[in-house]
Amino acid sequence: CPIGPALLFVKAGQGKEEGRRFYACSACRDRKDCNFFQWEDEKVSETRLAAREEYNRIHQPPFTHSQNMERYKNFVLLPLSKRRFCQECQQLLLPAEWEKHSDHQFLCDISTAQLKSPSQLLYPLENKKTNAQYLFADRSCQFLLDLIIDLGFRRVLSVGTPRLHEMIQSKASQEDFKVRSLLLDIDFRYSQFYTEDEFCHYNMFNHYFFGGEAARETCKKFLYQDNGERVIMVTDPPFGGLVEALASSFKKLMAMWKETEKEGRNNQEMPMFWIFPYFFESRILEFFPSLNMMDYQVDYDNHALYKHGKTGRRQSPVRIFTNLTPSTIVLPAEEGYRFCAVCQRYVSSGNQHCEICNSCTSKDGRRWKHCVLCKKCVKPSWFHCNNCNCCALQNHACEKTDAGCFVCGKAGHKRSACPSLSRT
Ligand code: SAH
Ligand code: ZN
Ligand code: ZN
Ligand code: ZN
Ligand code: ZN
């Protein structure tokens, strides 16, 4: 489809019936956004292949990355009064193009500062669930960058983190700032502002570089660490995305990093921050057992629910998963984080060390309580239910014994958690 190779899925069969496998778009869960569909064993005719190629071609962006770079060079030569940005087309306009966009809304007097913060100029995409853009609040972005610098990294592979990339880029133009960043993102609008060495059009659900071999080389070259310039990958994928697909791509990026050194790195992994909600912890650890979840709450600008909760607003459920030693990830004391000497990591102020679990067990920052029957700590709002034999909200509907799984028919789990699905 237009955004690269499709992924192989399985349509759940009912009961004992085998599921049927098919290819569909790697990023769009909604057929309205991309209707690519093909059974695994389906024969595709030459005509249909040709039509598909044609369709993919016309669904590419109007300008290539290098054309956008040419345009940018011309754009910055213009006097302020002639620098326009079309809000409808999300595009920098050259004077010869004004006419064509005459009935569109536009911004004028685009300053150099604005060109350096494209994430403020572009509107965040939110139409498609899997493509939604949630931009870091300045506080969180600054925290991440300081942490990266304190840990001694000099290169950041920014996968779906345009705002972090932007912060690094604008500091890089100042003296004495040695950190560099390469942005990999599916949002092609960024190619108007960054060169081919700063931005690659990339799909993180299928590890697809739209710019082909040249872009792949750019990425590989960036990952090569000369004179000890250590690299870290930071990613903040859309939360609706498939963890499996993301993990598979990240493993390929890690393999790319490994390839850059001939002797190999004695089984070391490329250092990584994967930013994702805490309730995906077990999914993420399934694919990356080397990752640990940190208590730091990552905040966003344009997400009402995920803002930092000092004034009684909800707290952010988004965390940092990292393969670096937890004790080295120092969290800000002024925001209430403290070091737990037993766990050897920084935890939120409300996270109490449980003597029975022998760990700081809270996931959401509130103080959790230990249930002796469940033999683990649970959310403060939960109570042990003797019917269900586990802890749950007080007013939960007890699990009905007759409602079996839609896929395998067995009781005790729902279709989404069916063990017979995880094999495919
Ligand atoms: N908090 C980050 C933005 C995260 S939003 C920041 O402030 O920098 C998710 C990002 O992932 C967006 O930039 C979006 O364009 C990008 N993205 C969404 N789907 C993607 C895909 N399939 N491949 C690569 N990037 C994707
Ligand atoms: Zn326009
Ligand atoms: Zn502890
Ligand atoms: Zn406990
Ligand atoms: Zn319990």
Side-chain angles (χ1 to χ4, degrees), residues 181 213 360 424:
S181 170
E213 203 44 49
C360 288
T424 30

Side-chain angles (χ1 to χ4, degrees), residues 115-148:
L115 291 174
K116 280 192 175 163
S117 14
S119 79
Q120 318 261 1
L121 192 61
L122 303 167
Y123 63 72
L125 300 175
E126 29 198 338
N127 47 337
K128 302 170 200 164
K129 259 192 209 134
T130 49
N131 204 16
Q133 290 180 318
Y134 295 118
L135 300 168
F136 293 134
D138 204 52
R139 197 175 58 88
S140 283
C141 202
Q142 191 64 59
F143 163 75
L144 282 169
L145 183 52
D146 290 345
L147 181 61
I148 289 165

Side-chain angles (χ1 to χ4, degrees), residues 252-264:
K252 286 174 185 158
L253 287 171
M254 285 175 157
M256 222 173 186
W257 173 81
K258 243 188 171 136
E259 275 169 31
T260 60
E261 204 179 65
K262 288 181 200 87
E263 309 92 63

Side-chain angles (χ1 to χ4, degrees), residues 322-340:
T322 184
N323 50 5
L324 298 171
T325 312
S327 61
T328 63
I329 311 296
V330 181
L331 306 186
E334 59 280 14
E335 286 171 42
Y337 300 99
R338 64 185 166 78
F339 190 70
C340 173

Side-chain angles (χ1 to χ4, degrees), residues 362-373:
S362 170
K363 306 287 181 194
D364 59 12
R366 294 180 297 171
R367 182 177 181 169
W368 285 24
K369 57 182 186 186
H370 192 86
C371 170
V372 280
L373 295 169

Side-chain angles (χ1 to χ4, degrees), residues 364-402:
D364 59 12
R366 294 180 297 171
R367 182 177 181 169
W368 285 24
K369 57 182 186 186
H370 192 86
C371 170
V372 280
L373 295 169
C374 292
K375 298 195 178 67
K376 64 175 185 188
C377 284
V378 297
K379 290 184 177 174
S381 51
W382 285 15
F383 295 90
H384 194 83
C385 167
N386 288 320
N387 256 346
C388 301
N389 209 13
C390 68
C391 282
L393 278 173
Q394 197 146 43
N395 58 355
H396 71 287
C398 285
E399 204 170 291
K400 291 185 201 87
T401 39
D402 55 337

